[in-house]
Amino acid sequence: MSARLVPPSGRQPDGPAADDETPHTPLRPLWSCRADGQHWPCREARLRLTAEFDGNPSGLTIYLASMFCEAAQDIHHLDPSNGPSPRELFDRFVGWVRKGKPPDRQAV
């Protein structure tokens, strides 16, 4: 049994949206964005997560590290031999969180 971290908004990362807009949340087990089909966290998800965790980069890193662990399990289960490397997944989920480097200025 694994514990699930909930972002400050209180909504689960793969839960329903509160409005009609398609949320930039992960579609599991593929871990693609529900809204734009890009790898999650997509650029918009990164911007929103940065805003939600404003002033708490450690909290954001911990949250994303937990998502990284769940994604690694899901993705490996889907295709153990052809999925992204652990380093690629780490960079995708956690590596972009750097002080002074907003997600809108980084390549996704």
Side-chain angles (χ1 to χ4, degrees):
M1 184 160 130
S2 67
R4 298 202 58 162
L5 295 178
V6 178
S9 67
R11 211 172 64 211
Q12 288 289 340
D14 53 356
D19 54 23
D20 292 336
E21 179 185 329
T22 301
H24 287 269
T25 56
L27 180 61
R28 295 182 68 180
L30 299 174
W31 289 85
S32 58
C33 177
R34 292 178 189 278
D36 59 30
Q38 300 297 312
H39 289 301
W40 191 90
C42 65
R43 182 178 308 262
E44 184 63 28
R46 291 177 181 192
L47 288 169
R48 291 177 185 204
L49 286 165
T50 300
E52 282 189 44
F53 283 89
D54 184 38
N56 188 3
S58 297
L60 175 58
T61 301
I62 291 167
Y63 172 71
L64 289 170
S66 71
M67 296 295 98
F68 159 69
C69 290
E70 289 187 33
Q73 290 176 337
D74 287 348
I75 292 169
H76 178 75
H77 181 72
L78 288 175
D79 191 356
S81 59
N82 292 321
S85 72
R87 182 66 200 192
E88 290 169 327
L89 281 177
F90 179 86
D91 288 345
R92 175 175 150 189
F93 281 83
V94 182
W96 62 270
V97 182
R98 294 188 185 113
K99 196 171 191 172
K101 301 248 184 186
D104 58 343
R105 293 189 183 146
Q106 292 179 336
V108 176

